[in-house]
Amino acid sequence: MNMRLVRTLAFVALMGMIGAAACGTFVSAVPLYSAVMEAY
Amino acid sequence: MTDPNGQPYTPRSGKRFGGPNSPDASGGASAPVARPQSKPVSSALRLDTAGKKRARFRKRGWFIIAAATPLIIAGFKELSGGDVLAMARNFALFGMFGMAAFLIRQGGDAEEAYAMRKFASPPAMPRKMIGSALLGVSLALTAALGWQIDWIQALGLGVLGAGASLLTFGFDPMSAKGEISLSGVTPQMVEEAIREAEEKIEGIERSAADIADRPLRDRLAKITARARDILKRIEQDPSDLRRARKFLKVYLDGALEATRKYADNQHDLGESGMYMKFRSLLDDMQQTFDAQHEKLLVNDQIDLDVEIDVLADRMKHESALR
């Protein structure tokens, strides 16, 4: 398999993980979002 | 010169004018003007793989920081809610991501410098790997403390993140590079000699920048350029190291000392005899450096001559055996 493609996919996955953790932190910091998420 | 259709090349302006000296419409040009065919600039850029890699590294570093930006917004949100500790935690986590991106970028630069050289020792600190590990730790801490998911899940996320980072940015070079030459010169010897010489050349350049007299500065620039040529030759053929030892040890030291002293005292010396003395010293230095470079070139030629002679003798000998 093309190594460059693997690297790019790994980078996209990494961005997803960092983004998810950072956005998760943001969501839990905002009480409104937390309430909505809990109600959901 | 022909155009892409195989017709003789005729400038369009000549056709348009239609005067007595212009070529006729059938293409019977009086004197076709040669014009270099333009090539797209991208072909040159495509060859600069190191530059492209560096640009990719930098871009990806910024992407990491951009992906972690919600932490800053969350930090301000925590502050408006009155939770200073949570704010500090979010800012610290963002700082850790930034630090990891910075380390990975530094590691990429170090790897590039390693790749450019023929003889090199590995970077003192594996910054790419440390950066990837730090990225994993930051990810796990963000997931556990900020996102508030289970510690085991957060740990898994951290390990995955570190693995993805290692896969993306790769490992740092770990071993020394270069071959032992037939003359017994080891890669470490070459690397050390070149590093020391480069430091001296940089010292000469720094001192030269303080010299007010422009002709002297130009001469020194020529001398340092020639010294770099000599270093390049040594890197290409390490057996030259023995031949150039005197140049590396004595001449460069002398040049550095003289330049430094002159730069420090130039205002006191004025247009005195010292100026003329330094100027003639620079002339001598330039000649010596040129001679040294020439010597290395000639030696390479002799080496090649000897190799060709040996090969020719051997071939003659083998054909006689048949």
Side-chain angles (χ1 to χ4, degrees), chain B residues 10 16 28 46 49 80 101 121-122 136 138 175 182 184 192 196 206 209 226 232 237 241 257 308-309 319:
Chain B
T10 314
R16 203 167 45 236
R46 216 176 299 138
T49 47
S80 66
S121 52
S138 322
S175 57
L182 290 174
E192 203 173 309
E196 271 178 24
R206 270 198 299 276
R226 182 53 90 202
K232 218 174 273 171
D237 183 6
L241 184 62
E257 267 313 293
I308 290 171
D309 286 348
S319 63

Short mmCIF file of all heavy atoms in Angstrom, two decimals, chain B residues 10 16 28 46 49 80 101 121-122 136 138 175 182 184 192 196 206 209 226 232 237 241 257 308-309 319:
data_model
loop_
_atom_site.label_atom_id
_atom_site.label_comp_id
_atom_site.label_asym_id
_atom_site.label_seq_id
_atom_site.Cartn_x
_atom_site.Cartn_y
_atom_site.Cartn_z
N THR B 10 8.41 31.06 -36.30
CA THR B 10 8.32 32.44 -36.76
C THR B 10 7.66 33.25 -35.67
O THR B 10 6.59 32.87 -35.19
CB THR B 10 7.43 32.54 -38.02
OG1 THR B 10 7.82 31.52 -38.89
CG2 THR B 10 7.54 33.88 -38.67
N ARG B 16 2.60 39.85 -38.02
CA ARG B 16 1.60 40.89 -37.88
C ARG B 16 2.01 42.17 -38.60
O ARG B 16 1.22 42.85 -39.21
CB ARG B 16 1.40 41.17 -36.39
CG ARG B 16 0.08 41.78 -36.07
CD ARG B 16 -0.22 41.75 -34.58
NE ARG B 16 0.88 42.15 -33.75
CZ ARG B 16 1.36 41.38 -32.78
NH1 ARG B 16 0.86 40.19 -32.55
NH2 ARG B 16 2.34 41.81 -32.03
N GLY B 28 8.11 31.21 -44.70
CA GLY B 28 9.47 31.34 -45.22
C GLY B 28 10.20 32.43 -44.48
O GLY B 28 10.31 33.55 -44.96
N ARG B 46 9.02 20.52 -8.13
CA ARG B 46 8.78 19.10 -7.90
C ARG B 46 10.07 18.40 -7.44
O ARG B 46 10.05 17.41 -6.75
CB ARG B 46 8.28 18.46 -9.19
CG ARG B 46 7.25 17.38 -8.93
CD ARG B 46 6.71 16.84 -10.23
NE ARG B 46 6.04 17.84 -11.02
CZ ARG B 46 6.17 17.96 -12.35
NH1 ARG B 46 6.95 17.16 -13.01
NH2 ARG B 46 5.53 18.88 -13.00
N THR B 49 12.35 18.01 -3.06
CA THR B 49 11.58 17.14 -2.17
C THR B 49 11.78 17.52 -0.71
O THR B 49 10.84 17.44 0.07
CB THR B 49 11.98 15.67 -2.37
OG1 THR B 49 13.39 15.61 -2.38
CG2 THR B 49 11.42 15.11 -3.64
N SER B 80 -15.45 32.29 32.48
CA SER B 80 -16.72 33.05 32.66
C SER B 80 -17.63 32.32 33.66
O SER B 80 -18.47 32.96 34.30
CB SER B 80 -17.43 33.23 31.32
OG SER B 80 -17.84 31.98 30.83
N ALA B 101 3.64 19.77 18.92
CA ALA B 101 3.76 20.16 17.51
C ALA B 101 5.12 20.81 17.25
O ALA B 101 5.78 20.54 16.25
CB ALA B 101 2.64 21.13 17.14
N SER B 121 25.94 12.34 12.38
CA SER B 121 25.55 11.52 13.53
C SER B 121 24.06 11.80 13.80
O SER B 121 23.55 12.83 13.38
CB SER B 121 26.41 11.85 14.74
OG SER B 121 26.40 13.22 14.96
N PRO B 122 23.37 10.90 14.47
CA PRO B 122 21.94 11.12 14.69
C PRO B 122 21.70 12.33 15.59
O PRO B 122 22.58 12.71 16.36
CB PRO B 122 21.49 9.84 15.38
CG PRO B 122 22.72 9.28 15.98
CD PRO B 122 23.83 9.65 15.08
N GLY B 136 0.46 11.98 22.59
CA GLY B 136 -0.37 10.92 23.16
C GLY B 136 -0.78 11.24 24.58
O GLY B 136 -1.96 11.10 24.96
N SER B 138 -0.94 14.23 26.01
CA SER B 138 -1.88 15.36 26.00
C SER B 138 -3.27 14.90 25.63
O SER B 138 -4.27 15.34 26.22
CB SER B 138 -1.45 16.43 24.99
OG SER B 138 -0.09 16.57 24.95
N SER B 175 20.97 6.15 13.83
CA SER B 175 22.36 5.69 13.70
C SER B 175 23.18 6.70 12.90
O SER B 175 22.63 7.50 12.13
CB SER B 175 22.39 4.34 13.00
OG SER B 175 21.76 4.46 11.76
N LEU B 182 38.63 3.91 2.36
CA LEU B 182 39.77 2.99 2.28
C LEU B 182 40.99 3.55 3.01
O LEU B 182 41.83 2.81 3.47
CB LEU B 182 40.12 2.72 0.82
CG LEU B 182 39.09 1.89 0.07
CD1 LEU B 182 39.46 1.80 -1.39
CD2 LEU B 182 38.99 0.50 0.66
N GLY B 184 41.07 4.78 5.82
CA GLY B 184 40.94 4.64 7.27
C GLY B 184 40.31 5.83 7.95
O GLY B 184 40.40 5.95 9.17
N GLU B 192 33.30 15.42 12.52
CA GLU B 192 33.85 16.33 13.52
C GLU B 192 34.69 17.43 12.86
O GLU B 192 34.55 18.60 13.18
CB GLU B 192 34.74 15.51 14.47
CG GLU B 192 34.93 16.17 15.81
CD GLU B 192 35.67 15.24 16.75
OE1 GLU B 192 35.25 14.06 16.89
OE2 GLU B 192 36.66 15.68 17.31
N GLU B 196 33.77 21.38 13.01
CA GLU B 196 34.70 22.37 13.57
C GLU B 196 35.02 23.45 12.53
O GLU B 196 35.03 24.64 12.84
CB GLU B 196 36.00 21.68 13.98
CG GLU B 196 35.97 21.16 15.39
CD GLU B 196 37.25 20.43 15.75
OE1 GLU B 196 38.29 20.70 15.13
OE2 GLU B 196 37.19 19.56 16.64
N ARG B 206 30.99 36.13 10.98
CA ARG B 206 30.46 37.04 12.01
C ARG B 206 31.39 38.23 12.20
O ARG B 206 30.95 39.37 12.30
CB ARG B 206 30.28 36.29 13.33
CG ARG B 206 28.90 35.66 13.46
CD ARG B 206 28.61 35.32 14.91
NE ARG B 206 29.56 34.37 15.46
CZ ARG B 206 29.45 33.05 15.31
NH1 ARG B 206 28.45 32.54 14.64
NH2 ARG B 206 30.34 32.24 15.83
N ALA B 209 31.29 40.66 9.31
CA ALA B 209 30.11 41.54 9.27
C ALA B 209 30.37 42.84 10.03
O ALA B 209 29.74 43.86 9.77
CB ALA B 209 28.91 40.81 9.85
N ARG B 226 35.15 29.86 -0.73
CA ARG B 226 36.12 28.86 -1.18
C ARG B 226 36.35 27.80 -0.10
O ARG B 226 36.47 26.61 -0.40
CB ARG B 226 37.44 29.59 -1.53
CG ARG B 226 38.51 28.71 -2.05
CD ARG B 226 38.06 27.88 -3.22
NE ARG B 226 38.27 28.52 -4.48
CZ ARG B 226 37.59 28.22 -5.59
NH1 ARG B 226 36.65 27.29 -5.55
NH2 ARG B 226 37.82 28.82 -6.73
N LYS B 232 33.13 20.82 1.04
CA LYS B 232 32.26 19.98 0.22
C LYS B 232 33.06 18.86 -0.45
O LYS B 232 32.62 17.73 -0.52
CB LYS B 232 31.59 20.86 -0.85
CG LYS B 232 30.15 20.47 -1.12
CD LYS B 232 29.50 21.43 -2.06
CE LYS B 232 28.90 22.61 -1.33
NZ LYS B 232 28.43 23.65 -2.24
N ASP B 237 34.78 13.16 -0.79
CA ASP B 237 35.85 12.17 -0.79
C ASP B 237 36.62 12.29 0.53
O ASP B 237 37.55 13.09 0.65
CB ASP B 237 36.78 12.44 -1.98
CG ASP B 237 37.88 11.39 -2.06
OD1 ASP B 237 37.83 10.43 -1.26
OD2 ASP B 237 38.78 11.54 -2.89
N LEU B 241 40.56 14.26 3.62
CA LEU B 241 40.68 14.84 4.96
C LEU B 241 42.13 14.92 5.40
O LEU B 241 42.57 15.91 5.97
CB LEU B 241 39.86 14.00 5.95
CG LEU B 241 39.81 14.53 7.37
CD1 LEU B 241 39.16 15.90 7.41
CD2 LEU B 241 39.05 13.59 8.27
N GLU B 257 41.43 34.15 13.57
CA GLU B 257 42.10 35.03 14.54
C GLU B 257 42.34 36.41 13.95
O GLU B 257 42.05 37.44 14.55
CB GLU B 257 43.44 34.41 14.97
CG GLU B 257 43.36 33.55 16.22
CD GLU B 257 42.60 34.20 17.35
OE1 GLU B 257 43.10 35.22 17.87
OE2 GLU B 257 41.51 33.72 17.70
N ILE B 308 41.96 3.92 -13.26
CA ILE B 308 41.77 3.54 -14.67
C ILE B 308 42.95 2.70 -15.14
O ILE B 308 42.78 1.68 -15.82
CB ILE B 308 41.59 4.81 -15.54
CG1 ILE B 308 40.23 5.44 -15.23
CG2 ILE B 308 41.67 4.46 -17.02
CD1 ILE B 308 40.04 6.79 -15.86
N ASP B 309 44.19 3.10 -14.76
CA ASP B 309 45.39 2.35 -15.17
C ASP B 309 45.32 0.92 -14.64
O ASP B 309 45.61 -0.03 -15.34
CB ASP B 309 46.65 3.05 -14.65
CG ASP B 309 46.94 4.31 -15.44
OD1 ASP B 309 46.29 4.45 -16.51
OD2 ASP B 309 47.77 5.11 -15.00
N SER B 319 42.67 -10.73 -20.58
CA SER B 319 42.49 -11.11 -21.99
C SER B 319 43.67 -11.97 -22.45
O SER B 319 43.52 -12.83 -23.32
CB SER B 319 42.32 -9.88 -22.87
OG SER B 319 43.50 -9.12 -22.79
#
